[in-house]
């Protein structure tokens, strides 16, 4: 008797890619998709997926794991717990950030971040860089060399004292992106406006978590988005605006596109499923759980985001998982105290709930096609950051990163999740689906009820030139 043709065959799947939906068997050899077709030969292992939707594993292109913070604050998830949660929520590739501290070399930040990931990751990972100190050595030597070595994207901040760049520095860094073909991601909020508003609020005694949203109104995001676009136009380079929260930023991006500029945009679950009211309608400290930047807006802005997801305004849907415990001195209560909003760590967890929320409220609620869901959550992020077609699609030769969906209604609780955070902002939300199986390079990492742990199985991915960028 001859040996089975495949290590694993997924039978009669309803395969969904960014462009097509079709029924097929998926034959897997050595962690890659070897054949797609009807009536494939036998595999050593067989899984019946009859009638069930199978999508490419999610690519979460914006998440923060074990990113160094100023003490006492510390992120709740490292590469172990963060990628465990990713796998259980159907995400098989993550791209967190190797963040340069001011005064630190970029290489040292990358080396430190590799150290944090090594032996811990359950799914594959790449790194974005965060450039906070663009010295001549960084601009002329480190950044070009790192781009050539597979770190082909970096984030620029327009706010936060320890990270922000001024306009001249942004122009310098964007010039490197242009010259070396990297993707520049921009956090667009006007730092001086935020500081001015924060001081006024503090002087009036308005320091409860809900005032975080008052200190960061849409105007500050709109202005910075416009300025980022202008700076990119001056340098003649594409940019990607991250975590876009609502109408005014969307209008700036539509304006840029209408003028022929290549401006990509990302949004996140919090701008579809939360509003500023989740930061509190009174001065309760519980609102700290939803403090993130930019803050969630209101129902009409949520609709603008849904529209942008459907009409092509957005390229990428990421979690912006930035995990801090609520009831812990290293989390939302720094030092164990209820603090003024300026001191509450910015960010919320969402790496595990990103796909199920959008599948439930987008695809199954009839707001979004299945193919667009795949494009936004997997294919486009892989293309934007140089990982496609190895990641982000179901095709012969691609890694066998697959999600088999279970369509069933249930109420989400934090106890069901696998991150190390003590809450989810989506507690009590009714969901209509969850991954029933996650395969990462052909291995079952989540079977619908049990996480199949093997820390260190996740591999570091060197990124190619982003295929969404023009070749120079
Ligand atoms: N920006 C992010 O990208 N993530 C968390 C907080 C922030 O301001
Ligand atoms: Zn940001
Ligand atoms: Zn972020």
């Amino acid at each position: 008797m001859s040996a089975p043709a495949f290590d694993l065959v997924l039978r009669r799947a309803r395969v969904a890619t960014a462009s097509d939906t079709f029924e097929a068997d998926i034959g897997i050899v050595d962690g890659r998709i070897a054949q797609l077709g009807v009536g494939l030969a036998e595999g050593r292992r067989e899984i019946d997926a009859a009638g069930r939707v199978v999508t490419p594993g999610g690519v979460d292109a914006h998440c923060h794991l074990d990113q160094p913070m100023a003490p006492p604050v510390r992120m709740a998830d490292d590469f172990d717990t963060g990628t465990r949660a990713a796998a259980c929520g159907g995400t098989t590739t993550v791209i967190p950030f190797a963040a340069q501290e001011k005064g630190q070399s970029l290489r040292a930040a990358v080396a430190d971040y590799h150290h944090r990931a090594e032996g811990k990751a359950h799914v594959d990972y790449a790194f974005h860089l965060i450039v906070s100190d663009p010295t001549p050595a960084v601009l002329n030597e480190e950044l070009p060399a790192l781009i050539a070595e597979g770190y082909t994207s970096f984030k620029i901040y327009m706010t936060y004292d320890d990270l922000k760049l001024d306009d001249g520095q942004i122009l310098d860094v964007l010039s490197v992106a242009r010259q070396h073909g990297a993707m520049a991601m921009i956090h667009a909020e006007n730092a001086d406006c935020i500081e001015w508003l924060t001081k006024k609020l503090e002087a009036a005694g308005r320091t409860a978590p809900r005032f975080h949203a008052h200190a960061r109104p849409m105007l500050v995001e709109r202005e910075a988005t416009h300025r980022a676009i202008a700076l990119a136009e001056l340098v003649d380079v594409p940019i990607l605006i991250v975590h876009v929260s609502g109408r005014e930023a969307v209008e700036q991006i539509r304006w840029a596109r209408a003028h022929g500029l290549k401006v990509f945009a990302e949004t996140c679950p919090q701008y579809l499923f939360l509003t500023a009211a989740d930061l509190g309608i009174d001065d309760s400290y519980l609102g700290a759980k939803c403090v993130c930047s930019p803050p969630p807006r209101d129902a009409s802005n949520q609709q603008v985001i849904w529209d942008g997801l459907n009409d092509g305004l957005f390229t990428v849907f990421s979690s912006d998982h930035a995990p801090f415990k609520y009831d812990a001195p290293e989390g939302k209560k720094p030092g164990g105290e209820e603090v003024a909003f300026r001191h509450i760590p910015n960010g919320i967890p969402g790496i595990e709930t990103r796909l199920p929320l959008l599948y439930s409220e987008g695809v199954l609620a009839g707001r979004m096609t299945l193919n667009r869901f795949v494009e936004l959550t997997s294919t486009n992020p892989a293309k934007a950051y140089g990982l496609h077609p190895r990641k982000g699609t179901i095709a012969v030769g691609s890694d066998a990163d697959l999600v088999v969906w279970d369509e069933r209604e249930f109420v989400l609780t934090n106890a069901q999740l696998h991150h190390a955070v003590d809450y989810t902002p989506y507690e009590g939300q009714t969901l209509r689906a969850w991954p029933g199986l996650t395969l990462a390079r052909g291995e079952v990492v989540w079977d619908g009820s049990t996480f199949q742990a093997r820390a260190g199985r996740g591999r570091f991915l060197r990124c190619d030139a982003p295929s969404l960028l023009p070749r120079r």
Side-chain angles (χ1 to χ4, degrees):
M1 231 175 70
S2 58
F6 303 102
D7 298 330
L8 171 65
V9 177
L10 222 56
R11 292 272 169 211
R12 293 186 298 157
R14 223 182 122 219
V15 176
T17 68
S19 56
D20 303 296
T21 309
F22 53 93
E23 189 178 307
D25 302 336
I26 305 173
I28 297 166
V29 176
D30 290 338
R32 292 193 174 199
I33 298 173
Q35 203 174 338
L36 285 166
V38 176
L40 293 194
E42 218 175 292
R44 191 169 304 121
R45 184 173 176 194
E46 299 259 333
I47 294 176
D48 183 13
R52 293 165 77 192
V53 169
V54 176
T55 57
V59 177
D60 195 342
H62 185 161
C63 54
H64 304 264
L65 301 176
D66 200 13
Q67 194 174 309
M69 296 277 123
V73 174
R74 188 162 49 81
M75 286 198 166
D77 283 316
D78 62 7
F79 277 81
D80 175 10
T81 61
T83 60
R84 175 179 75 189
C88 298
T91 287
T92 49
T93 304
V94 296
I95 319 182
F97 296 84
Q100 180 198 25
E101 282 178 40
K102 287 199 198 287
Q104 186 189 32
S105 90
L106 210 43
R107 279 230 175 257
V110 169
D112 170 69
Y113 211 47
H114 273 294
H115 187 65
R116 288 165 186 263
E118 253 157 42
K120 288 191 170 175
H122 299 278
V123 301
D124 293 348
Y125 58 97
F127 294 166
H128 303 295
L129 308 172
I130 290 176
V131 182
S132 68
D133 198 359
T135 60
V138 165
L139 292 169
N140 301 327
E141 292 153 38
E142 288 198 312
L143 197 45
L146 285 165
I147 293 167
E149 289 168 33
Y151 306 85
T152 59
S153 51
F154 49 77
K155 185 172 175 191
I156 296 168
Y157 282 80
M158 299 173 84
T159 190
Y160 297 127
D161 286 345
D162 50 345
L163 295 172
K164 73 180 180 199
L165 305 188
D166 65 30
D167 291 355
Q169 291 174 313
I170 293 174
L171 290 167
D172 284 341
V173 177
L174 290 181
S175 299
V176 177
R178 183 182 195 280
Q179 198 183 341
H180 297 276
M183 182 66 88
M185 311 159 77
I186 304 198
H187 178 130
E189 287 186 300
N190 181 309
D192 287 348
C193 291
I194 293 168
E195 182 58 23
W196 187 81
L197 286 166
T198 299
K199 282 188 178 141
K200 277 178 91 75
L201 288 160
E202 287 174 340
R206 300 179 149 210
T207 60
R210 69 189 172 105
F211 293 110
H212 172 79
H214 296 225
R216 308 176 101 101
M218 273 297 279
L219 180 157
V220 310
E221 186 181 348
R222 183 229 301 163
E223 186 282 328
T225 302
H226 179 84
R227 185 156 37 98
I229 289 166
L231 298 174
E233 183 181 2
L234 194 55
V235 173
D236 182 26
V237 67
I239 50 169
L240 189 149
I241 311 276
V242 294
H243 44 52
V244 171
S245 74
R247 173 178 292 109
E248 295 183 32
V250 164
E251 284 170 355
Q252 296 302 316
I253 296 162
R254 288 200 195 283
W255 178 90
R257 297 250 184 102
H259 286 75
L261 303 175
K262 240 191 177 21
V263 176
F264 301 106
E266 172 205 75
T267 194
C268 314
Q270 47 269 40
Y271 308 116
L272 293 177
F273 303 111
L274 300 178
T275 67
D278 290 300
L279 275 70
I281 45 174
D282 57 20
D283 285 355
S284 161
Y285 199 73
L286 287 170
K289 290 181 177 179
C290 293
V291 164
C292 60
S293 293
R297 307 296 179 185
D298 62 14
S300 72
N301 280 290
Q302 289 178 336
Q303 188 55 51
V304 169
I305 300 296
W306 277 114
D307 293 344
L309 285 168
N310 275 317
D311 69 16
L313 186 277
F314 289 109
T315 304
V316 178
F317 186 76
S318 308
S319 71
D320 197 5
H321 180 78
F324 301 100
K325 285 185 180 163
Y326 173 69
D327 209 355
E330 73 275 19
K332 296 279 188 179
K333 295 180 177 174
E337 303 289 320
E338 294 189 359
V339 295
F341 71 82
R342 95 150 63 224
H343 302 295
I344 299 172
N346 282 203
I348 62 174
I351 203 166
E352 191 170 356
T353 45
R354 174 183 71 118
L355 295 178
L357 278 168
L358 195 66
Y359 194 93
S360 297
E361 290 303 313
V363 179
L364 295 181
R367 291 190 178 98
M368 176 181 289
T369 68
L370 180 56
N371 308 105
R372 182 70 179 142
F373 166 85
V374 171
E375 187 172 38
L376 285 161
T377 57
S378 181
T379 312
N380 277 352
K383 288 181 178 175
Y385 300 114
L387 293 172
H388 188 267
R390 179 169 175 189
K391 302 293 185 187
T393 192
I394 298 178
V396 171
S398 296
D399 284 352
D401 293 349
L402 301 165
V403 179
V404 182
W405 285 91
D406 260 358
E407 296 183 7
R408 63 186 162 85
E409 207 166 281
F410 68 100
V411 175
L412 181 72
T413 67
N414 194 52
Q416 296 158 4
L417 299 179
H418 298 81
H419 58 197
V421 186
D422 56 357
Y423 75 97
T424 167
Y426 310 108
E427 184 81 25
Q429 171 125 5
T430 299
L431 292 180
R432 305 176 197 215
W434 195 267
L437 183 74
T438 307
L439 295 178
R441 276 186 280 102
E443 286 183 48
V444 175
V445 289
W446 165 249
D447 69 4
S449 55
T450 315
F451 172 61
Q452 321 268 329
R454 193 158 68 76
R457 70 160 297 289
R459 293 183 190 152
F460 175 67
L461 303 165
R462 291 183 192 283
C463 297
D464 297 326
S467 49
L468 291 185
L469 295 179
R471 281 177 193 268
R472 293 200 185 270

